[in-house]
């Protein structure tokens, strides 16, 4: 590889993780982004949840997520932010009978996928988290679903890339053919569709950040009369509550209704959080795809590689995305693990 071989469009967690990986492999990298960190990566809750994010019909994604979760401790250590990575587990609770039945269904799925998860009675769930309200009827413990402070990850990645000599250009790429590099990696999150001509759409998500004592001990996910909410406590006292999910184009305005729904469901299962300070409300755009799995690999344009469409799991999938895209670019061969995520799979079908 010669100088300026690789350009990357997008300085979210995916673009920066790839930039760092490629410079570590001796390549020279330029990252284009008018506003690094302005996308989903600094809004995200940071759950690293290969178990509780698993869904029916998404087994290849579940396998990729699990493999990436295993890379996270070393990834955080390499960035010098081991304290931003929290290996406390996740407890998933349900409120009414239908919520409890849904937890049973999820447990069966996790076991079918070979993922470790343990059922809890309501009393056992409350032993783990004394703040849980009596309305909780059942629980699941996913001890290997961890979390990371995404803003610290993004800041550390920027610093690592700068230290490694990555060149940053503060501009939006509008046409891949105008980028002066041997290869362009499109990692522009929800804004990737135009650059790739592939189906990536923005899926809006609103989160609320509280501040309070660090007393939960676990990430809490809840089904509250059919609705879902999660509560991610950081050691710093930040508590991220999320997240809504809807398609409203590129609209990132926060709404009172979404804040109300998130807080109402949270306070039903964790009433004492009503005393916490309301710190922030943010909206981010998840890069969604037709099958909820990312687009990773070569495109119809031989100069363009896609690394986008990570939807709900881009934080979790950053380390494995960087490693596999690194392998692809360094060797010219598509790694086996990338094959289910071929960006052209929708054309083929
Ligand atoms: C509310 C919410 C909660 C989430 N929670 C989690 C979670 O708990 N765990 C998890 O794993 N994932 C979570 N996610 C998903 C995760 O945030 C995303 O999958 C991930 O951040 C995508 O990263 P990215 O780098 O691809 O995109 P982004 O972070 O969106 O970055 C894209 C970047 O591209 C730049 N850009 C756009 N267009 C161009 C262009 N033409 N040229 C150059 N640059 C361009 C933008 O300025 C931006 O900086 C959540 C997302 C949301 C919204």
């Amino acid at each position: 590889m010669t100088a300026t071989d690789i350009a990357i469009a997008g300085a979210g967690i995916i673009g920066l993780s790839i930039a760092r990986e490629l410079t570590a492999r001796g390549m020279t990298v330029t990252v284009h982004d008018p506003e690094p960190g302005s996308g989903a990566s600094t809004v995200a809750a940071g759950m690293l949840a290969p178990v509780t994010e698993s869904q029916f019909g998404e087994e290849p994604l579940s396998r990729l997520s699990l493999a990436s979760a295993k890379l996270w401790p070393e990834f955080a250590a390499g960035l010098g932010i081991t304290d931003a990575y929290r290996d406390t587990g996740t407890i998933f609770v349900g409120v009414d009978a239908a919520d409890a039945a849904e937890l049973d269904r999820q447990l069966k799925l996790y076991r079918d996928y070979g993922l470790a998860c343990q059922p809890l009675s309501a009393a056992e769930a409350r032993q783990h988290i004394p703040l849980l309200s009596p309305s909780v009827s059942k629980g699941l413990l996913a001890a290997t679903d961890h979390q990371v402070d995404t803003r610290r990850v993004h800041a550390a990645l920027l610093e690592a890339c700068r230290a490694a000599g990555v060149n940053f250009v503060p501009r939006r790429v509008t046409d891949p053919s105008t980028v002066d590099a041997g290869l362009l990696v499109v990692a522009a999150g929800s804004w990737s569709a135009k650059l790739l001509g592939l189906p990536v759409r923005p899926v809006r998500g609103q989160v609320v950040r509280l501040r309070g004592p660090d007393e939960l001990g676990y990430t809490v996910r809840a089904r509250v009369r059919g609705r879902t909410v999660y509560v991610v406590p950081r050691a710093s006292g930040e508590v991220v509550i999320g997240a809504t999910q809807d398609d409203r184009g590129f609209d990132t305005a926060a709404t009172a209704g979404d804040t109300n729904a998130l807080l109402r469901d949270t306070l039903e299962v964790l009433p004492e959080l009503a005393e916490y300070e309301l710190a922030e409300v943010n909206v981010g755009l998840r890069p969604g795809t037709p099958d909820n799995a990312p687009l990773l690999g070569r495109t119809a344009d031989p100069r363009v590689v896609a690394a986008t469409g990570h939807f709900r799991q881009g934080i979790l999938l950053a380390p494995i995305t960087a490693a596999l895209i690194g392998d692809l670019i360094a060797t010219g061969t598509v790694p086996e693990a990338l094959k289910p995520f071929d960006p052209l799979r929708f054309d083929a079908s």
Side-chain angles (χ1 to χ4, degrees):
M1 293 279 175
T2 53
T4 67
D5 276 328
I6 312 293
I8 298 177
I13 192 168
I14 298 297
L16 293 180
S17 298
I18 294 169
R20 177 168 168 263
E21 176 75 27
L22 297 181
T23 52
R25 293 176 188 239
M27 299 175 214
T28 305
V29 179
T30 298
V31 174
H32 299 256
D33 193 320
E35 205 179 338
S38 59
S41 300
T42 52
V43 173
M47 292 183 295
L48 307 174
V51 179
T52 54
E53 278 293 324
S54 282
Q55 303 294 337
F56 288 92
E58 297 181 4
E59 198 169 359
L61 177 59
S62 180
R63 274 199 300 275
L64 191 75
S65 300
L66 194 61
S68 201
K70 290 181 178 152
L71 299 178
W72 253 103
E74 201 183 318
F75 191 75
L79 290 170
I81 52 164
T82 41
D83 59 322
Y85 173 81
R86 216 171 186 195
D87 66 0
T88 46
T90 296
I91 291 189
F92 195 171
V93 297
V95 171
D96 68 13
D99 297 330
E102 177 59 22
L103 258 57
D104 287 340
R105 207 174 71 98
Q106 289 297 130
L107 178 63
K108 181 173 180 321
L109 167 77
Y110 304 154
R111 289 186 166 161
D112 287 350
Y113 283 3
L115 301 168
C117 188
Q118 177 194 335
L120 302 173
S121 67
E124 287 168 335
R126 272 192 290 278
Q127 274 166 17
H128 286 283
I129 308 175
L131 293 190
L132 282 173
S133 80
S135 70
V136 165
S137 65
K138 193 179 182 86
L140 300 175
L141 169 61
T144 55
D145 274 5
H146 300 159
Q147 55 124 324
V148 71
D149 184 332
T150 50
R151 291 172 175 180
R152 291 200 48 209
V153 175
H154 191 268
L157 277 168
L158 263 182
E159 200 181 310
C161 286
R162 287 196 176 112
V166 171
N167 179 31
F168 283 90
V169 177
R171 73 155 186 141
R172 186 170 295 278
V173 176
T174 49
D175 176 354
S177 69
T178 62
V179 175
D180 185 18
L183 200 68
L184 172 68
V185 179
V186 174
S190 290
W191 298 268
S192 301
K194 270 192 198 151
L195 293 178
L196 292 169
L198 291 172
V200 183
R201 72 181 199 286
V203 182
R204 183 182 174 281
Q206 184 166 321
V207 294
V208 173
R209 282 174 157 81
L210 307 182
R211 292 204 70 78
D214 177 28
E215 55 191 352
L216 290 178
Y218 293 87
T219 290
V220 179
R221 303 189 78 138
R223 281 192 75 87
V224 183
R225 298 176 223 295
R227 298 178 304 270
T228 55
V229 70
Y230 55 71
V231 180
V232 184
R234 311 255 194 254
S236 63
E238 179 180 82
V239 179
V240 188
I241 293 175
T244 58
Q245 187 169 310
D246 54 340
D247 287 47
R248 282 194 220 168
F250 288 91
D251 180 2
T252 53
T255 68
D258 282 352
T259 298
N260 178 53
L262 291 169
L263 293 178
R264 178 195 60 211
D265 291 340
T266 299
L267 298 183
E268 174 147 4
V269 291
L270 293 165
E272 296 192 26
L273 270 57
E275 299 304 318
Y276 289 17
E277 179 191 342
L278 179 58
E280 258 182 77
V281 178
N282 318 104
V283 171
L285 301 173
R286 307 173 185 91
T289 65
D291 60 3
N292 299 338
L295 309 177
L296 304 174
R298 291 201 197 93
T299 65
D301 181 339
R303 281 186 63 248
V304 177
V305 166
T308 188
H310 293 77
F311 191 36
R312 296 173 57 94
Q313 298 195 63
I315 308 302
L316 170 58
L317 292 170
I320 198 133
T321 299
L324 293 173
I325 295 290
D327 286 348
L328 172 72
I329 292 174
T331 66
T333 306
V334 182
E336 204 54 41
L338 273 191
K339 289 184 177 163
F341 309 103
D342 181 350
L344 303 178
R345 63 187 179 275
F346 306 111
D347 285 356
S349 66

